Amino acid sequence: MYDIALAFLIVVSVLLIIVVAAQPSKTNAASSLSGGAEQLFGKQKARGFEAFLIRLTIILGTVFVVLTIVLEYLINH
């Protein structure tokens, strides 16, 4: 059981790294001069592929945490 959970954790970790790296950057040169006020007050909802990547990141992060807790339980028992 431990080996299966560890294998899933490794797969989820690699997928999480790929998904986070694939997300587009939201910074631009003007935000460093204005302190990012445009991004704070002009926030727009992500759409399409960007929204999918955000949801996938949340799901993979949750699975990562759950698998880590399961592995910790398996190690201690």
Side-chain angles (χ1 to χ4, degrees), residues 7-28:
F8 279 130
L9 183 66
I10 291 170
V11 169
V12 168
S13 300
V14 170
L15 289 174
L16 189 58
I17 291 169
I18 292 170
V19 169
V20 169
Q23 291 183 358
S25 175
K26 295 182 180 179
T27 60
N28 58 13

Side-chain angles (χ1 to χ4, degrees), residues 1 8 16-17 21 30-31 37 40 47 52 55 69-70:
M1 185 69 175
F8 279 130
L16 189 58
I17 291 169
S31 67
L40 178 63
R47 297 183 182 190
F52 171 74
R55 287 188 189 117
I69 292 170
V70 167

Side-chain angles (χ1 to χ4, degrees), residues 1-2 9-10 12 17 31 42-44 54 57 63 76-77:
M1 185 69 175
Y2 173 79
L9 183 66
I10 291 170
V12 168
I17 291 169
S31 67
K43 188 173 184 177
Q44 296 178 349
I54 291 171
T57 303
V63 171
N76 289 329
H77 288 92

